[in-house]
Amino acid sequence: MEFSINQEIWLRLWSIWCAGEEKRVGTRTVFVGHRPVSETDAYVEQKFCDNRIVSSKYTVWNFLPKNLFEQFRRIANFYFLIIFLVQVIVDTPTSPVTSGLPLFFVIIVTAIKQGYEDWLRHRADKEVNKSSVFIVENAKQVKKHSEKIKVGDIVEVKADETFPCDLIFLASSNDDGTCYVTTASLDGESNFKTHYAVRDTTGLRTDNDIDSLTATIECEQPQPDLYKFVGRINVYRSNQEPVARSLGPENLLLKGSTLKNTKTIYGVAVYTGMETKMALNYQGKSQKRSAVEKSINAFLIVYLCILVSKATVCTTLKYIWQNNPFNDEPWYNQKTKKEKETFKILRMFTDFLSFMVLFNFIIPVSMYVTVEMQKFLGSFFIAWDKEMYDEEIKEGALVNTSDLNEELGQVEYVFTDKTGTLTENSMKFIECCIDGHKYKGGISEVDGFSHTDGPLKYYGKAEKCREELFLRALCLCHTVQIKEGDNVDGLIVNQERSTYISSSPDEIALVKGAKKYGFTFLGHEADFMKVQNQKNEIEKYQLLHVLNFDPVRRRMSVIVKTSTGKFLLFCKGADSSIFPRVQQDEIHQTKVHVERNAMDGYRTLCVAFKELTQEDYKKMNEQLSEAKMALQDREEKMARIFDDIETDMHLIGATAVEDRLQEHAAETIEALQTAGMKVWVLTGDKMETAKSTCYASRLFQTNTELLELTTKAMGNSDRKEDRLHELLLEYHKKLVQDFPKNSGKLKRSWTASQEYGLIIDGSTLSLILNPSQDSSSSNYKSIFLQICLKCTAVLCCRMAPLQKAQIVRMVKNTKGNPITLSIGDGANDVSMILEAHVGIGIKGKEGRQAARNSDYAVPRFKHLRKLLLAHGHLYYVRIAHLVQYFFYKNLCFILPQFLYQFFCGFSQQPLYDAAYLTMYNICFTSLPILAYSLLEQHINIETLTSDPRLYMKISDNAMLQWKPFLYWTFLGAFEGLVFFFGVYFLFQNSSLEDNGKVFGNWTFGTIVFTILVFTVTLKLALDTRFWTWMNHLVIWGSLAFYVFFSFFWGGIIWPFLKQQRMYFVFAHMVTSVSTWLAIVLLIFISLFPEILLVVFKNAKRKNHQKKLSNRKESDSLSSRPSFRPLLLRTFSDESNV
Amino acid sequence: MAVNYNAKEEADGHTSGVGVAGGGAAGGAGKSRKPDNTAFKQQRLPAWQPILTAGTVLPAFFIIGLIFIPIGIGIFVTSNNIREYEIDYTGTDSSSPCNKCLNVSWNSTPPCTCTINFTLDQPFETNVFMYYGLSNFYQNHRRYVKSRDDSQLNGDNSSLLNPSKECEPYRTSENKPIAPCGAIANSMFNDTLELFHIDNETRIPITLNKKGIAWWTDKNVKFRNPFGTTNNLTALFQGTTKPVNWPKPVYMLDSEQDNNGFINEDFIVWMRTAALPTFRKLYRLIERKNNLQPTLQAGKYSLDITYNYPVYSFDGRKRMILSTISWMGGKNPFLGIAYITVGSICFFLGVVLLVIHHKYGNRNNSADIPN
C-alpha cells in the first residue's frame, strides 16, 4: 500500500501533524457487548486501557518527590540547592538560612501552585471519571461510573450528554439512524454534525434488541487525528454469514463531543480512557523559549564566570597571604583543632566553596521568581485590553502562554494567512456567470429564509434550462445543513429562524446566492435533499454519494438521483481543478469571467456537471462501496474513484464570492512594514485572488517591483525546472549582487530605494525545496532564500499547510535566527502557528483550532498592531530592563563584599549582616523593579501604536546585546567601587560620632548597604518614565521599609540569634552627621554618570526626533494614492499578460 | 525636570488597583466578558512622566555644586581645626624607649614599662579623646569576629557555664568554661597608658576618665553581668575561669562595681570589632576642667606605658592618639575634599554643558518633548 506522508497530511481538516507521521500499526478487534461471535471461537479477553482519564501529574504519594525532582531539574534551582548544601556541610561565612530561605520560599510557592493546579486537574478528572453512565448489560441498563467503561461495552447516551469515550454509533432513537453532534469542545466548530449508525444495527432501539447483537468491530489502533477513522463491523446473525460494513469517521462518536437533538443513542466503546482521540490530542505543545530567556542564560554564564573567578582569586590570594605565618595564625587568633587537622588541599577546597557561597548572591534566586511573576502578571494586560475586544464575537484577546510576551516586541517576520485573517471570511455572493453570461445579484442580504429581494440584473441571458441547472447545482453540491431556530415559545416552529450552518462559509454564501435566484435549499430528509424551485415546487433528489472538499483535490462532488431517475454528478471547485476535467471548448467564456473576478479579489468556484448512465453509476457505486469497506486509506481510494469519474464534465458556470478585507487590515500591514517587519502572506488561495488582496492590503505598493516564481511564469511544463533556475539566478543577480553595499542596511531600513515583492506558488516552492533529481538544486534553495530575505513582501499562494510550516521553518533557520510570527485562523494554519516563534490565532469563523494551538489569540487581524507595537514593545523593554537591572544590582551588591576580602585577610568575612544578605533581593529591592516591569511605559501606548518606527529601536534584541550588558555591568562595578572605597576612606578614622566613640565592622557594612539600597532604588527611579501611584508607593515604600526594618532589626536583642551584631548599629549610624554626609555624597557620585548619560541621550533623542518629524513631513508630501486606483492599475497590467 | 502630568479621563484610576489582578486566570480572563474599562487594566493610570533634559538637569548641577562646595569647605575647615597628636610606641626603632619591651610576652612579670616624652605645640582647647591604635591587626578576620558568645556576655547563666562552640579554641581552659570566651575577649588590649604633663620638671598626672567610652546601649543592654542573688561578682563568676591570656579574671578588671565584669567599658570597646586592620579605639577621656585653661596646654608631656600587648610578632604597630572631636567626629580630611571635588565637578560640568546646550540645542524649549 503506497501513500506518501505528504498526501496524508494534505487532508482537509488536518490537525495534529506531528502525530500523523507516527503511524500506529495493526488493528484491534472489539467484541460488542463482550460476546463471543460463536461457540467455537473462544472469546479472548483483550487488554485495553480502562476509561479513566488521568490528566493529573501527581498523586498524593509521589507529589513531594516528583515535584521536587522536577523543580530541581531547572538549572537555576539546582544551582541554589548546591549552594545551600555547601552551606550546610561546609563551615561557610553565611548561615544556610541566607540562601535556604529564598530557595525554599521559591520551591514552596511553586510547589503550592503546581499542587493546586494538579488538585484542580484531579477534581476535573474525578468529575469526568465518576460521572455516571448507563451500560447495557444482559438487556438491562446498569449505572456505572464513567471510568468503569471497558472497550466493548454498549453505552447509552442521552441528549445533551457528552460521550464518555469514543463510541461506534450503533442505533439512535431517530428512525433513520442518525444523530447530531456538536464538537465545540474538541475543535470549536459549533455546527451540528450528522453521524450515521451502522446500517444493520439501526433497528436495535431497545435494550433487549441491542443486547441480542452479536458483532465484532475491527478498527485501527487509536490515533489522534480527529477526522480520520477506519474500521469494519461484522454483524453476525444466527447461522448466517457475517455481514461486514465499513466504518468511517461518520460512525464514530468522539469523547468530548455532545449529543444534540437526538433522544438517545447506543454505541459501543472502541477507544477508552487515555486512548480516546481527545486524550491523544491533549499532548502538550512543545515549550517555546523566548530570545530573552536565551540572553538571560548567556548573562548567567558570564556572571557564573565572574563568580568562579572571584572565588578563585580570593582563594589563591588567601593562601599567598597566609604564607606568612603571622598572617595565617597570629597569637590572638588561633585556629581550632579541627581546622589544624584538615588537609591543606581539602581546606583550600572548602575555602573555595566558602567564597562561592559568600559571592553567590550575584546570581539571585529572586530574579527567576520576579521574571516569572512579571510574565504571569504582565500577560493579564493583554487579556484586559479593551481595544482588543471585539464586540461581534464578544471576546477579547486570549493569552495561552505568558512566556513569550517579550517576544512580541522582537518580531522580524510576520507570516499571515489570507482567508479569515487578512480578510473577513464572511462570504458574500457577488455574482455568477452561466455559460459566460454575467449575473449580478442584489446587494442586501438577510440571514434565513426571507424571500428573494429585488429583480436581478442580467447582462445577457443564458438559456433557461442551463440557468436552472446551475442553480440546482448550487443547491445540491454542498454540505450545508439547516439549523432549526430555537423554539422560544414552543408552539410555533418558525421557519424564519432557521439558519444554514456549514464548516465552510463559502458554501453558505453559495446556497444563499442560489436562494436569491429562486432556488431554495430546504434541507435533508433521510437520503433526500429538498429544493424549492422558482415555481415554489419542491423537488427531491436522492443523495447517493458525497465526496467532501479537500485541499488536495480542491473540489467537491455529489452524485444525486433525480425524481425522474437520472443520475447526476455535480462538481464544484477551483478553476485549476475543474478546467482540466471539463470539455475544453466550454472553458473559454467562463475563464475570462473567472480571471476577472479573481483580479477583483473575489473567490471563484467553477461548477460543472455530468450525467451518468445507469451502467456507469452502477460500476462506480460498486467501486465506491468496496472502497468504503476498506480499512485503510479509504479517502484516497474514494478520491481515486471520483477522479476517474470526474472527467469530461460540462462546465455550467462560475461563482464569485467576496471575502472582504478585515477592518484596518491594510493599515495594520503598512504599520508592520514600517516597523521593519517583513510580512509574508501564505495562503491556499489562487495567485490572482491573493495578489489582489495583497495590493488591497497594501502589502504590495505601487512602487513595489514584483518578482514572480509561479507556474504561470515558468511557462511550458517540460523545462520547468531549468526555467525556474534561470529566473532564480536572474532575480538573485538583481537583488543580491547588484546591491552588495546596501545589503546590511536594506534589511530594516525604511527608506530602501526600491522595494521588491516576490510571488511564489506551492508547486514552484516544492520544486525548489524538493528538487527532482538535480543535486545542484540545493544551491538554488539558498539562492531562493536570499531572494526572499531581500524582498519586503512575499506572497506564497497555493500553499498546503505543511508547506506553510516549511516556509516558516526555512526563514526561522536562516542566519541570525530572526524571530518569526505566524498568524492564522484556520486548522490549516496550525502547523505554521506551532512552527513559528510566536503563534497567533485569530478567533475566526473556521473553528477554534488555530486559537487553541496558538500562544496568543486575538479576535481580529488589526489587533496585531497594538499587540506587537504597543504590548510587545513595552513587554520587551520591561523585561530587558528587569534582567539588566537584576544583574546590575547584584553586581554592585556583591562587589563591596569581594573588595572587603582584601581587607580582612581573605577570611570570607561577610560585609553585610545575614539579614541584609537575605532580604536585599527579597524585600528591599524586589518590588520597585517588579512594579516597573509591569507598569513602565517609557513611551506612551498611543505613540507606540501610531509611530511604528519606534519598534525598530528594540529590534534584534537591542537591549540585551552585549553592549548594553557591558554598560550595566560597568555601571554596577563602578557603583560597587564607589560604595566600598567611599566608606573605606571614611573609615580611615572610625570615630564618626560627636562623642568620640568608634564604629565597628558592622557599621561599616551597614553604611555600604544603606548607600547600596538607596542608590539601586534611585537608579530605578531615574529610569522610570511612568510614575503611577504604585511606582511611588513601592519605591518610596521600599526605602521606608528598609529604614524601618533596620531600626527594628537592631532594636531588639533577638533571642534566637547567636550574635547580636546589629544591635543599635543602625541607630548609632544615623546619629552621626558624617555618615549622613557620606551617604548623600556617595549616592550622588554613584548616580552622577547615569544622570549625565540620560541627559545626553535625551538631547540626542530630541535631535533625532526633530529629524524624524522633518522626514515625516517630506514623507507625507509623497504619500501614495489610495488603493482603489491601484487595483485598477494592476488589473490593466495583468490583462496585458 | 520637565514634567507632564497626564491625568487621563478615567476617574476610577485609583480605586482599581492591584486587587483586580487577582481575579481570573490568564486564559479565562477575557472569555466572553468585556474587559473592565478601568485605568489600571487599560494601563492608563494617571502618571507623572518626568524627563531629564539638559535644561532641567544643568541648573540642578549648578545648585548641587553650589550646595556641595560650601559644605565641603565647612567640613574641611572643621576637620583641619581638629587637633590630633599621634605617637607610635611600638618600639621597633632601636632608639625608642619602648624598644626593650618589643618582644614582651603575655605573662612577663614584672610588666615591662617604658616612658615616651613628647611635646604638644598647640594647646588642645576642648575635650580630648585618647585612643589607642593598632595596625595590621585583623580584628575583622572571620574566625576572630565570630569567636564570641553574645548570650554569655548578656549575662545568660547557662551560656556562662556552657559557652558557644564558636568560641573554640578559647572556649574552655583546664576543663572550666572561660568567661568571657572567644578569641576577641582573649586578645583584649591590656596596655596601660598614663599621661603626665611636665611642668618645670614636675610630672602632673592628667586625669583620664575611663567611663563613657562605650556605646550606651552596649554598656546598659547588650553587656550584662551574670544575674544572681548577690552583687559579688566573684561569686557570680563561680565555676568559670579567666581567658588564657589575661592576667586576672574578668571580675577583677576594675575596682568599681559598675565598670567591672562584662560591663567594663574597656572590654566593651574592645569587643566591638573594627572594620579594617588598621584601627583606633577609644581609650580614655580627658575632660576640660574649666573655661580658663585649655584641656591640654602646649608643652611637654610624657606617656607612661605598661607594655603588655605584643604586636611585633605579627608585624603590628601600636599608637596612642590624642584628638579633639568636632560635630563630625574625629579628623577626617576625606569628606571635605570629596565634597569640594564633587561640587566643583558638578559646577564645572554645569557650565560646560550649558554652553554646549546653548550653542547647539537652544531652538527647542526643553519642556515640550513629546512623549
Side-chain angles (χ1 to χ4, degrees), chain B residues 285-299:
Chain B
L285 307 177
I286 308 169
E287 271 166 30
R288 188 170 179 171
K289 289 198 189 79
N290 53 51
N291 291 335
L292 303 170
Q293 273 189 320
T295 322
L296 293 180
Q297 296 162 302

Side-chain angles (χ1 to χ4, degrees), chain B residues 11-71:
Chain B
D12 51 350
H14 284 256
T15 53
S16 56
V18 197
V20 197
K31 219 153 219 178
S32 72
R33 213 170 58 83
K34 187 168 176 158
D36 298 341
N37 186 16
T38 57
F40 172 70
K41 287 190 177 182
Q42 300 307 323
Q43 305 194 61
R44 284 171 184 280
L45 283 178
W48 175 54
Q49 296 173 307
I51 287 181
L52 293 176
T53 57
T56 49
V57 171
L58 297 185
F61 276 7
F62 271 126
I63 293 167
I64 288 169
L66 287 177
I67 295 172
F68 273 24
I69 295 174
I71 291 179

Side-chain angles (χ1 to χ4, degrees), chain A residues 415-571:
Chain A
F415 298 95
T416 167
D417 177 40
K418 189 180 77 75
T419 315
T421 308
L422 285 179
T423 60
E424 286 280 6
N425 204 17
S426 80
M427 305 297 168
K428 209 168 175 189
F429 184 84
I430 294 295
E431 61 178 43
C432 60
C433 100
I434 303 167
D435 280 346
H437 301 285
K438 188 174 167 194
Y439 290 71
K440 204 169 172 96
I443 306 301
S444 67
E445 191 167 332
V446 190
D447 264 10
F449 276 53
S450 67
H451 286 282
T452 53
D453 37 19
L456 302 169
K457 286 180 208 147
Y458 298 96
Y459 299 83
K461 228 177 162 190
E463 293 166 51
K464 185 77 178 165
C465 64
R466 296 288 284 182
E467 231 172 68
E468 286 183 357
L469 185 66
F470 177 77
L471 294 171
R472 281 195 187 104
L474 291 187
C475 281
L476 295 171
C477 186
H478 58 71
T479 53
V480 174
Q481 287 162 15
I482 290 185
K483 186 186 179 188
E484 299 293 330
D486 304 323
N487 302 341
V488 184
D489 37 16
L491 291 169
I492 311 152
V493 181
N494 195 345
Q495 270 215 326
E496 297 285 324
R497 285 175 185 276
S498 313
T499 45
Y500 293 120
I501 46 176
S502 163
S503 49
S504 150
D506 295 67
E507 292 196 326
I508 296 177
L510 289 178
V511 173
K512 280 183 184 168
K515 199 172 87 184
K516 268 187 212 149
Y517 293 97
F519 277 79
T520 312
F521 171 62
L522 291 181
H524 293 267
E525 196 170 86
D527 277 351
F528 291 93
M529 293 174 96
K530 289 191 295 181
V531 173
Q532 190 177 30
N533 67 12
Q534 281 165 326
K535 294 169 203 132
N536 275 351
E537 293 161 357
I538 291 187
E539 300 171 11
K540 277 191 173 182
Y541 297 87
Q542 192 183 0
L543 183 62
L544 298 169
H545 291 286
V546 183
L547 191 59
N548 278 343
F549 187 89
D550 77 59
V552 186
R553 280 164 35 86
R554 308 184 58 81
R555 60 183 184 272
M556 77 164 289
S557 297
V558 291
I559 297 172
V560 294
K561 189 179 169 190
T562 62
S563 46
T564 53
K566 277 197 279 186
F567 292 96
L568 290 177
L569 167 82
F570 290 112
C571 183

Side-chain angles (χ1 to χ4, degrees), chain A residues 814-831:
Chain A
T814 51
K815 213 177 74 197
N817 295 320
I819 307 295
T820 55
L821 176 144
S822 291
I823 178 164
D825 71 322
N828 58 343
D829 306 316
V830 173
S831 58

Side-chain angles (χ1 to χ4, degrees), chain A residues 331-334 384 391 878 900 907-908 937 940 986 989 991 996 1001 1027 1058 1060 1074 1077 1098, chain B residues 34-35 42-43 48-49 52 106 131 138 140 142-143 150 166 170 273 275 328 330-332 339 371:
Chain A
W331 62 262
Y332 57 84
N333 192 11
Q334 302 283 314
W384 279 338
E391 292 291 346
R878 288 167 182 176
Y900 191 58
S907 58
Q908 300 125 19
Q937 292 174 33
N940 273 3
L986 183 75
N989 183 344
S991 70
N1001 64 323
W1027 285 84
K1058 261 192 272 175
Q1060 311 295 338
S1074 299
L1077 288 169
N1098 281 339
Chain B
K34 187 168 176 158
Q42 300 307 323
Q43 305 194 61
W48 175 54
Q49 296 173 307
L52 293 176
W106 276 101
Y131 296 90
Y138 283 84
N140 57 6
R142 180 162 76 94
R143 202 191 314 137
D150 274 343
E166 304 284 353
Y170 304 99
T273 47
M328 56 166 285
K331 200 181 185 85
N332 196 340
Y339 261 93
N371 38 49

Side-chain angles (χ1 to χ4, degrees), chain A residues 652-857:
Chain A
I652 329 171
T655 58
V657 171
E658 190 194 13
D659 190 2
R660 271 188 302 128
L661 266 193
Q662 278 200 7
E663 198 190 350
H664 297 308
E667 287 86 340
T668 308
I669 291 225
E670 212 171 24
L672 296 184
Q673 284 191 327
T674 321
M677 283 175 256
K678 293 189 183 170
V679 183
W680 292 28
V681 174
L682 311 181
T683 176
D685 240 332
K686 293 162 52 77
M687 190 192 110
E688 287 79 12
T689 321
K691 199 160 123 189
S692 60
T693 312
C694 286
Y695 270 112
S697 58
R698 294 185 220 168
L699 186 66
F700 296 153
Q701 284 155 358
T702 28
N703 55 344
T704 309
E705 191 179 329
L706 292 187
L707 313 173
E708 284 191 22
L709 282 173
T710 54
T711 348
K712 209 167 158 188
M714 233 66 77
N716 63 3
S717 52
D718 43 319
R719 279 185 60 250
K720 246 184 194 169
E721 214 158 325
D722 297 338
R723 174 85 183 112
L724 170 69
H725 294 163
E726 274 171 38
L727 272 174
L728 277 174
L729 288 175
E730 184 191 318
Y731 293 157
H732 185 255
K733 190 157 172 264
K734 202 171 185 175
L735 264 75
V736 185
Q737 288 161 3
D738 292 356
F739 291 102
K741 49 189 181 297
N742 267 8
S743 55
K745 273 190 176 174
L746 196 71
K747 198 178 156 205
R748 269 179 178 270
S749 121
W750 49 280
T751 49
S753 50
Q754 174 65 55
E755 291 183 355
Y756 290 98
L758 181 77
I759 303 179
I760 187 167
D761 63 7
S763 53
T764 320
L765 184 76
S766 62
L767 265 183
I768 294 170
L769 296 182
N770 318 308
S772 51
Q773 69 276 78
D774 216 339
S775 55
S776 68
S777 300
S778 61
N779 190 29
Y780 290 104
K781 193 173 162 181
S782 73
I783 290 178
F784 168 68
L785 197 60
Q786 285 176 28
I787 295 172
C788 284
L789 299 183
K790 283 278 177 294
C791 292
T792 40
V794 176
L795 164 63
C796 305
C797 41
R798 302 276 195 215
M799 289 282 135
L802 189 67
Q803 282 183 310
K804 290 185 178 183
Q806 257 181 330
I807 295 249
V808 175
R809 197 180 312 140
M810 188 180 80
V811 173
K812 204 167 93 172
N813 294 333
T814 51
K815 213 177 74 197
N817 295 320
I819 307 295
T820 55
L821 176 144
S822 291
I823 178 164
D825 71 322
N828 58 343
D829 306 316
V830 173
S831 58
M832 70 172 185
I833 285 176
L834 290 176
E835 182 66 45
H837 291 102
V838 188
I840 305 221
I842 300 265
K843 296 173 169 178
K845 299 196 168 114
E846 291 183 22
R848 276 298 161 88
Q849 284 212 44
R852 265 203 305 140
N853 287 291
S854 63
D855 303 311
Y856 300 90

Side-chain angles (χ1 to χ4, degrees), chain A residues 299-338:
Chain A
F299 297 164
L300 211 64
I301 289 170
V302 172
Y303 269 70
L304 205 65
C305 291
I306 294 179
L307 174 64
V308 171
S309 52
K310 271 185 180 177
T312 318
V313 165
C314 280
T315 317
T316 319
L317 288 177
K318 175 174 183 161
Y319 281 88
I320 293 171
W321 186 77
Q322 281 186 352
N323 249 343
N324 206 333
F326 59 74
N327 280 337
D328 186 26
E329 200 176 7
W331 62 262
Y332 57 84
N333 192 11
Q334 302 283 314
K335 288 178 185 171
T336 58
K337 218 168 149 194
K338 206 175 119 203

